[in-house]
Amino acid sequence: MSTPQARRGNTRQRIQDVALELFSAQGYDKTSLREIAEKLEVTKAALYYHFKTKEDIVISLFQDLAGPIDDLIAWAQTQPRTLETKKELIRRYSESLRAGEPLFRFMQENQPAVRDLSIGESFKARMLTLFGLLKEPDAELTDQVRCITALFSMHAGMFAMQNLEGDPEEKRKAILEVATELVTAANPPNRRPARPDSAQTASP
Amino acid sequence: MSTPQARRGNTRQRIQDVALELFSAQGYDKTSLREIAEKLEVTKAALYYHFKTKEDIVISLFQDLAGPIDDLIAWAQTQPRTLETKKELIRRYSESLRAGEPLFRFMQENQPAVRDLSIGESFKARMLTLFGLLKEPDAELTDQVRCITALFSMHAGMFAMQNLEGDPEEKRKAILEVATELVTAANPPNRRPARPDSAQTASP
DNA sequence: GTCTATATGGCGATAGAC
DNA sequence: GTCTATCGCCATATAGAC
């Protein structure tokens, strides 16, 4: 719409951008609202016009991430539970991570801060859903570990492998490859050979 | 015996214990010295007698962890760089992690706090050394990812897999198994068959 | 929609008595 | 070795003018 100062009606967006940048660079607790405001060349009070609390800023950030993941989960639930589906699932997940990398890193590195921000539970729930979609219902413990490791290594790739040399896109591909391998190993084709209800409809 | 305040001399140790417990439960920033003191039924000033700053408490905790890891690194460096050595290396590492689990979880979950606590670098350096011991000198990117994932999954096991049902010791074994698998895959016996100096003595 | 000014409170840290 | 008391700082958050 038309604001008195036509140049900015995007202040809310700019707050989110700067906040995410600072949060993920120095941590949630170490970043004060004063710092965010200064970087934006506004005052603290201006922030409070757009967001009720500091927490609200994080929550708003998280919601941008939750959407794509929910879509991904919804998609996977319409597919047959085949190995092909699972491979495609983590491929798409890897794609999502590329977009939301800073936010993911932030969530990973600031677990204590995120935990009691009420979104912690909701984030964890999504991870468990993904996990449930990757593993076989009666999977052995080692296979469950494989699936969790696959998911986790994709998150970890964002920061644990920053010191590896190489093109970021190359790294992402390498991580995806290893994750795919883990999921494949966790879903042996000859585990339960006779089971009529899950029809294999893989069509490459 | 005698007075309620008779068992003294171990105050420093008790501070470390309570601090680690609270730090890893609620995070470094969210844990105040007042809280630690109250739980110990002493005053803040008492803490300052034993530790110069809040940071010093963390540093002292970290040093307890660093010793065993340094020993492990030193041991590995005396061994031939065979796959067997690498497998034994992560087996022993898994052992070390069992002992220092809360501390490891703390370091993993409080990266922003730890980062500029000056021990962050030293911790990272040790991880890189372990990584260097696991991977082949000219390993491909995917093999490097495998090695990092192996290391990382052992750390991650401490908190990412807490909601998996099952005996903790069983879980540790499962994680170790997957990690071993990853390292094995990253060290193919037939990659560079002709190379005189690194005698492969794997015998399955 | 953004500002100035201020309220309120917890934090880490220190001084000095016992 | 532990206490009481207090300092100085910066945090989040609010009130009200423009």
Side-chain angles (χ1 to χ4, degrees), chain A residues 112-168:
Chain A
V114 163
R115 223 187 328 248
D116 50 21
L117 242 46
S118 81
I119 58 177
E121 277 305 312
S122 131
F123 183 74
K124 186 174 163 185
R126 282 173 176 84
M127 287 305 108
L128 284 176
T129 304
L130 284 176
F131 171 57
L133 287 166
L134 283 180
K135 81 169 176 71
E136 290 290 290
D138 56 351
E140 294 182 14
L141 194 51
T142 45
D143 283 336
Q144 296 187 44
V145 169
R146 275 183 256 263
C147 290
I148 289 192
T149 302
L151 276 176
F152 210 78
S153 68
M154 291 198 286
H155 297 174
M158 319 256 118
F159 59 98
M161 308 191 191
Q162 274 180 339
N163 30 295
L164 249 63
E165 81 243 7
D167 175 52

Side-chain angles (χ1 to χ4, degrees), chain B residues 15 19 23 33 36 51 53-61:
Chain B
I15 293 174
F23 285 165
L33 294 180
I36 297 174
F51 297 95
T53 67
K54 189 184 180 184
E55 289 197 17
D56 269 9
I57 301 180
V58 179
I59 293 174
S60 78
L61 289 172

Side-chain angles (χ1 to χ4, degrees), chain B residues 93-151:
Chain B
Y93 190 57
S94 168
E95 207 74 46
S96 302
L97 290 188
R98 176 166 45 184
E101 187 199 307
L103 183 52
F104 250 93
R105 207 176 85 179
F106 163 69
M107 302 225 32
Q108 190 78 44
E109 291 189 346
N110 291 269
Q111 296 201 20
V114 164
R115 213 174 350 234
D116 50 21
L117 242 45
S118 81
I119 57 177
E121 276 306 311
S122 131
F123 184 73
K124 186 174 164 186
R126 281 174 177 84
M127 288 304 108
L128 284 176
T129 304
L130 284 177
F131 171 58
L133 287 166
L134 283 181
K135 81 169 176 69
E136 291 289 290
D138 56 351
E140 296 183 13
L141 193 52
T142 46
D143 284 335
Q144 295 187 44
V145 169
R146 275 183 256 263
C147 290
I148 289 192
T149 302
L151 276 176

Side-chain angles (χ1 to χ4, degrees), chain A residues 32-34 44 48 53-54:
Chain A
S32 67
L33 295 181
R34 181 183 54 77
K44 274 193 295 176
Y48 277 96
T53 67
K54 188 183 180 185

